[in-house]
Amino acid sequence: MGNTTRAEQRERTRRALLGAARALFAAEGYGAVGLAEIVKAAEVTKGALYHHFDGKADLFRAALAEVQDEVGRRVSSAADAREDPWEQLTAGCQEFITAATDPDIQRIMLIDGPAVLGWNEWRGMDEASSARHLAEALTDLVERGVIARQPVAPLAHLLSGAMNEAALWLASSGGPGELADTRAALSGILDALRRQ
């Protein structure tokens, strides 16, 4: 029983640190947040932070992974609500654009992610999450003949890059109707891939 209690306490501490760090990173940006601020918000000691994470960058990495998982769940949920594989792809892509308009997600996943971790590590994390699922969906559509036979890897990278760029543009544009216009443009790009 004692081991379970300690394990539960460790997990609560880890969750508190991650929750506090994520909120602060989203609100202020990685560069503006110090470890002292994180441990104060989490109501733990610095020693507790170092027990769970190697430092601020490691804590940010965990926050980014959590954000990517949440976006992935939203995309999967939108796709899974459809029966048709083509509609699954389009619904998932549209949900990514919508999810990425959340300022907290933009800040952690698209702005600070590549800057803090470096392009290669950030890209690797993106590949392991959303980009892998996009490539799998495109591969399935190519095999079904819905999309013309072609190399999937470059297509997946092009679409992923376009959606990430669109999300960053939406973050800075802020004009009314921009999300609807972006979703319509994405529909046009996707529809152009589909064999008629």
Side-chain angles (χ1 to χ4, degrees):
M1 188 84 162
N3 287 339
T4 302
T5 303
R6 280 193 291 277
E8 289 171 352
Q9 179 58 41
R10 280 193 299 274
E11 184 56 24
R12 275 196 298 274
T13 300
R14 186 181 186 286
R15 296 294 324 147
L17 282 162
L18 191 53
R22 181 174 167 179
L24 289 166
F25 292 149
E28 300 175 30
Y30 178 85
V33 177
L35 289 178
E37 191 176 0
I38 294 169
V39 296
K40 181 179 179 185
E43 299 179 342
V44 300
T45 65
K46 253 189 196 178
L49 183 144
Y50 284 112
H51 177 75
H52 293 280
F53 302 98
D54 290 339
K56 184 174 153 184
D58 191 38
L59 184 53
F60 178 81
R61 187 177 294 105
L64 172 59
E66 186 176 88
V67 168
Q68 287 178 321
D69 285 347
E70 286 176 18
V71 171
R73 283 193 301 274
R74 286 180 62 174
V75 167
S76 291
S77 178
D80 291 345
R82 307 296 194 281
E83 295 284 326
D84 179 72
W86 176 256
E87 290 177 9
Q88 290 175 338
L89 172 74
T90 59
C93 289
Q94 293 291 357
E95 183 57 33
F96 175 82
I97 291 292
T98 302
T101 59
D102 179 311
D104 294 353
I105 289 173
Q106 287 171 342
R107 166 68 81 173
I108 292 172
M109 189 170 80
L110 299 172
I111 297 169
D112 284 349
V116 172
L117 301 179
W119 177 256
N120 290 333
E121 184 176 354
W122 176 84
R123 189 72 189 123
M125 290 179 73
D126 186 55
E127 281 281 333
S129 59
S130 61
R132 179 177 50 87
H133 297 298
L134 178 60
E136 289 169 359
L138 291 169
T139 298
D140 180 54
L141 291 168
V142 167
E143 289 172 359
R144 291 173 182 267
V146 176
I147 295 174
R149 188 154 298 281
Q150 61 188 290
V152 170
L155 179 60
H157 281 87
L158 285 166
L159 286 175
S160 178
M163 289 187 288
N164 286 339
E165 182 60 30
L168 288 169
W169 177 75
L170 283 168
S172 63
S173 69
E178 299 291 4
L179 176 58
D181 290 346
T182 302
R183 289 173 58 104
L186 178 59
S187 289
I189 291 169
L190 293 171
D191 286 346
L193 293 173
R194 190 172 190 181
R195 293 177 99 168
Q196 301 303 326

